[in-house]
Amino acid sequence: MAVTLERSSWPDYAPDQGELSSRVAAEAYVGGVCFKLGPPALIGAELEWLTAGPTGSRPSLQQLAAALGSHAPTSIAPDSAAVPLPGGSMVTIEPGGQIELSSAPFADPAALTQNLRADATRLRELLAARQISIFAAAADAGRPAQRLLRMPRYTAMEDRFGGVGPFGALMMCNTAATQVSVDAGADPAEVRARWTALYVLGPTLIAAFACSPRLHGVPPGDWASQRMRTWLRLDPSRTRPPVADWADPITSYAHWALDVPLLCVRCTDLDADWSPPPGATFADWLSGALDDEVGRRPTRADLDYHLTTLFPPVRASGHLEVRYLDTQPGEGWTTPISLFDALLSTPAVVAEATGLAAPTAGEWLTAARRGLADPQLRRAAVDVLELAAAHARTPSAAMELARAANRCRAGRSPLAEVASSGSGAGGPR
């Protein structure tokens, strides 16, 4: 899900308290901070898990903070040093008590996997000492949504999403994702190609990795990814940018970002209501339209914060965050890392992957609902995974991707694959 506000471990993160002189200046700033240009070299990942205490209920924030010690994020332990785990991963907590590891970026995906696996093991050890378990499940099938983090950001978010039935609370509290982050590109042309590929690939890869058919409290309906269903039902102005019309992602993303309605307006009083005037956008605030309601104009730091309240399937944060995949069972999270590393390895492979997935581009709803049961999505998933296997960096990554292609060819979800192996998937009850 990744809706928390945490400082990125990616290079060149530099919040700026300076004032914004105009919309033109604000859009130029967004383009610069959201798309760092340079030869693609780095890859990172974020892993999210559901958490449960010994009785299956959610652990309290106090229990989580005690278990994490110096690694606890300041969102649950304000005086914490928030020390990274030994492999460089930062720990964050989501509104419903889900726990997330945000890796350091690595030039070698094998090093990323090794360090992230070691940090995940250490995280389990820390939590187990306080009888807290973590579960690799993309959707909580057994417990109602319950928000633990009471920060004003999440109160404003809950209010904003309250008009879409249970989907907002379920997304915030009962879902988890596997995310992969990659460099944006060396120049605007490469950024456009990589950005386009990640969006065109979205429905194909949602279908390939969908593994959340059950979610407690969701309205009736058969879905391959109930997690993605929650996102598709949320505020489309914030979660579904019109990327099909974007010839230049850098300028278009900046223009779109300023026209997304404000989710919240920060103030120093954590007990205050951070809800913005209904429908007001960041551009409205910048133009002076909110002078009476807010009492000040936004700074660059306010714009930095606003950017963290945008939840598109691929988010520009200096690098590109791929946010559309379900949390994978077991250690299945290694496969998306190998996949994106291979598919983005050269401009030629990027172009070929885009072409293979093009017939299913835009089929987000079908992918989330039907997954691999849709013949066109299944065929595209097999083709894309076979392409990735052919361009994998190591023989082990190639074998992993080939197994995933075979799974998709057979129409089996990651959960079905785990079940057939007899290893089980588990989860809080």
Side-chain angles (χ1 to χ4, degrees):
M1 182 183 62
V3 298
T4 49
L5 175 66
E6 301 291 345
R7 180 163 295 189
S8 172
S9 59
W10 218 266
D12 300 321
Y13 180 89
D16 191 328
Q17 296 287 346
E19 294 184 358
L20 297 161
S21 60
S22 66
R23 175 165 186 149
V24 171
E27 289 190 9
Y29 176 77
V30 172
V33 299
C34 289
F35 295 89
K36 298 293 186 184
L37 300 183
L42 300 176
I43 187 167
E46 297 182 5
L47 308 180
E48 296 174 354
W49 295 274
L50 306 179
T51 59
T55 65
S57 61
R58 299 171 198 264
S60 70
L61 297 181
Q62 293 77 14
Q63 290 170 323
L64 287 167
L68 294 170
S70 63
H71 305 294
T74 55
S75 60
I76 64 171
D79 297 328
S80 173
V83 176
L85 290 166
S89 304
M90 302 293 295
V91 182
T92 58
I93 302 296
E94 299 291 351
Q98 309 98 307
I99 199 160
E100 174 183 280
L101 285 186
S102 299
S103 79
F106 290 88
D108 181 359
L112 166 62
T113 299
Q114 179 181 355
N115 282 273
L116 199 47
R117 182 179 288 116
D119 283 348
T121 298
R122 180 58 181 150
L123 177 65
R124 285 190 178 89
E125 293 170 349
L126 290 170
L127 296 174
R130 298 279 178 157
Q131 295 185 295
I132 300 171
S133 301
I134 60 175
F135 301 93
D140 195 326
R143 301 177 300 188
Q146 178 187 1
R147 183 161 65 95
L148 303 184
L149 282 176
R150 309 311 300 179
M151 299 161 66
R153 170 187 174 94
Y154 298 119
T155 300
M157 184 182 295
E158 199 168 59
D159 290 344
R160 172 74 185 182
F161 296 150
V164 291
F167 292 102
L170 289 170
M171 178 279 292
M172 292 171 64
C173 303
N174 277 35
T175 65
T178 294
Q179 300 182 29
V180 179
S181 293
V182 296
D183 282 325
D187 53 47
E190 186 169 35
V191 169
R192 180 169 60 253
R194 290 164 70 87
W195 173 269
T196 300
L198 292 175
Y199 264 95
V200 170
L201 285 161
T204 293
L205 298 183
I206 286 172
F209 292 96
C211 56
S212 53
R214 292 177 295 280
L215 173 60
H216 184 89
V218 79
D222 293 331
W223 290 71
S225 175
Q226 294 282 4
R227 183 198 68 86
M228 196 64 194
R229 180 188 186 185
T230 68
W231 282 105
L232 292 171
R233 288 299 306 271
L234 296 181
D235 177 3
S237 67
R238 188 177 314 280
T239 63
R240 302 175 75 177
V243 295
D245 301 327
W246 290 2
D248 177 4
I250 298 176
T251 58
S252 296
Y253 190 92
H255 188 83
W256 167 73
L258 266 63
D259 287 333
V260 174
L262 293 163
L263 184 68
C264 56
V265 175
R266 293 184 305 165
C267 64
T268 55
D269 184 0
L270 295 181
D271 294 323
D273 182 1
W274 287 18
S275 298
T281 67
F282 193 92
D284 292 332
W285 189 11
L286 181 62
S287 73
L290 307 185
D291 283 356
D292 290 341
E293 293 90 340
V294 179
R296 65 178 180 86
R297 299 287 175 91
T299 66
R300 290 187 180 92
D302 291 314
L303 183 48
D304 285 335
Y305 194 93
H306 175 66
L307 294 172
T308 72
T309 70
L310 310 181
F311 308 126
V314 180
R315 183 163 65 184
S317 301
H319 51 283
L320 305 180
E321 302 173 0
V322 181
R323 300 166 48 83
Y324 46 66
L325 297 185
D326 282 0
T327 282
Q328 297 298 288
E331 290 201 352
W333 52 268
T334 63
T335 306
I337 291 174
S338 298
L339 173 71
F340 286 110
D341 179 66
L343 294 180
L344 300 176
S345 56
T346 69
V349 177
V350 169
E352 187 172 355
T354 304
L356 290 174
T360 62
E363 296 293 334
W364 301 89
L365 190 64
T366 302
R369 186 187 293 274
R370 299 199 64 204
L372 293 171
D374 181 89
Q376 192 173 37
L377 285 164
R378 184 171 64 252
R379 183 163 52 251
V382 172
D383 290 345
V384 166
L385 283 159
E386 288 183 337
L387 174 67
H391 294 277
R393 197 178 298 216
T394 64
S396 61
M399 290 178 60
E400 179 180 30
L401 291 165
R403 286 194 299 270
N406 288 334
R407 171 182 61 76
C408 290
R409 184 178 292 107
R412 293 196 302 272
S413 73
L415 282 176
E417 190 80 349
V418 168
S420 67
S421 71
S423 58
R429 293 290 185 270

